């Protein structure tokens, strides 16, 4: 049967987008450690055992590092994020479908991240804030390895850019998130890399919906198709 997370993503991705090697390795690590649950239609992957995460969660602390969920069905929400009224042009719809694919949920309030092909056909990982919570809209990582390094830093969630100038647990010291040591070690040893101290080492131009002007290329691309407010 192979790796179900990889297979379901491959079946749904547009032809123009290939799964980065580092994401395939991540999905295999998730599979090897049984860090997933299956719904009626899709597999959802995590970075930490879901049952242990919930069992140890209190009002002041939790284990497990960054919360993120990987699932191949999330792209169904893309038209809603852009707004149907702004997608009447079929050419715009086709471009969005060819260049963007949501593959992970980054926040409990509905924020997500996606693969995105830039104007230079470079595959980047971008953030799509929910609008009702996080309004972060920008390139999260220039490549898949930097995305893994960002996840390994250990923020509660990676949808809150106000935390990015600080190490984890500094911006909100009343809630402590213990690092995901197993994931950190895997990233460092597998890819012979180091984990950054803060997110701004990875996220170069944090931009929020409604910001004008912006130097972030993903934000500017999105701004062609949607009005933020």
């Amino acid at each position: 049967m192979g790796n179900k997370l990889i297979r379901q993503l491959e079946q749904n991705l547009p032809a123009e987008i290939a799964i980065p090697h580092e994401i395939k390795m991540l999905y295999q690590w998730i599979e090897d450690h049984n860090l997933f649950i299956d719904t009626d239609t899709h597999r959802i992957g995590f970075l930490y055992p879901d049952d242990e995460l919930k069992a140890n969660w209190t009002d002041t602390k939790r284990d497990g590092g960054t919360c993120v969920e990987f699932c191949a069905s999330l792209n169904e929400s893309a038209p809603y994020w852009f707004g149907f009224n702004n997608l009447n042009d079929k050419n715009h719809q086709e471009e969005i479908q060819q260049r963007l694919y949501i593959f992970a949920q980054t926040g409990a309030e509905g924020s997500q991240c996606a693969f995105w092909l830039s104007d230079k056909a470079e595959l980047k990982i971008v953030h799509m804030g929910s609008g009702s919570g996080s309004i972060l809209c920008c390139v999260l990582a220039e490549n898949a390895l930097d995305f893994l390094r960002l996840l390994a830093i250990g923020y509660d969630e990676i949808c809150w850019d106000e935390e990015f100038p600080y190490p984890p647990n500094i911006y909100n010291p009343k809630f402590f998130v213990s690092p995901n040591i197993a994931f950190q070690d895997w990233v460092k040893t597998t890819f012979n890399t180091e984990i950054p101290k803060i997110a701004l080492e990875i996220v170069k131009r944090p931009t929020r919906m409604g910001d004008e002007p912006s130097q972030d290329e993903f934000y500017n691309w999105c701004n062609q198709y949607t009005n933020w407010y």
Side-chain angles (χ1 to χ4, degrees), residues 135-200:
I135 54 175
L136 181 65
C137 175
C138 65
V139 174
L140 267 185
E142 294 289 333
N143 54 65
L145 177 55
D146 276 351
F147 177 64
L148 299 186
R149 296 172 67 227
L150 175 64
L151 291 175
I153 296 173
Y155 295 101
D156 183 19
E157 297 173 317
I158 56 168
C159 59
W160 307 109
D161 60 292
E162 57 266 33
E163 298 185 28
F164 289 0
Y166 310 99
N169 302 310
I170 300 300
Y171 185 81
N172 180 16
K174 294 183 179 180
F175 188 78
F176 186 84
V177 179
S178 297
N180 186 340
I181 301 298
F183 179 65
Q184 289 180 333
D185 287 346
W186 176 75
V187 170
K188 287 189 290 188
T189 58
T190 301
F191 301 103
N192 190 28
T193 189
E194 296 297 326
I195 308 303
K197 300 296 183 184
I198 61 172
L200 289 185

Side-chain angles (χ1 to χ4, degrees), residues 89-104:
D89 188 322
K90 288 187 177 180
N91 291 332
H92 290 175
Q93 293 188 49
E94 291 175 1
E95 180 177 2
I96 289 168
Q97 291 169 352
Q98 291 169 357
R99 293 179 59 178
L100 182 79
Y101 195 89
I102 300 168
F103 71 99

Side-chain angles (χ1 to χ4, degrees), residues 20-89:
H21 174 66
E22 294 86 353
I23 298 298
K24 285 188 175 182
M25 294 182 69
L26 169 66
Y27 281 12
Q28 191 59 52
W29 182 81
I30 288 172
E31 188 95 5
D32 291 343
H33 291 81
N34 295 311
L35 300 175
F36 59 82
I37 59 173
D38 286 319
T39 69
D40 290 340
T41 57
H42 283 86
R43 174 160 291 182
I44 302 172
F46 312 98
L47 299 180
Y48 192 81
D50 191 51
D51 54 348
E52 293 182 29
L53 181 75
K54 293 174 180 176
N56 296 315
W57 200 320
T58 72
D59 291 338
T60 59
K61 65 180 179 67
R62 70 164 178 81
D63 298 334
T66 297
C67 278
V68 63
E69 296 183 2
F70 302 96
C71 184
S73 68
L74 295 171
N75 208 57
E76 297 167 1
S77 66
Y80 298 95
W81 190 80
F82 282 94
F84 286 115
N85 290 338
N86 297 313
L87 289 180
N88 292 327
D89 188 322

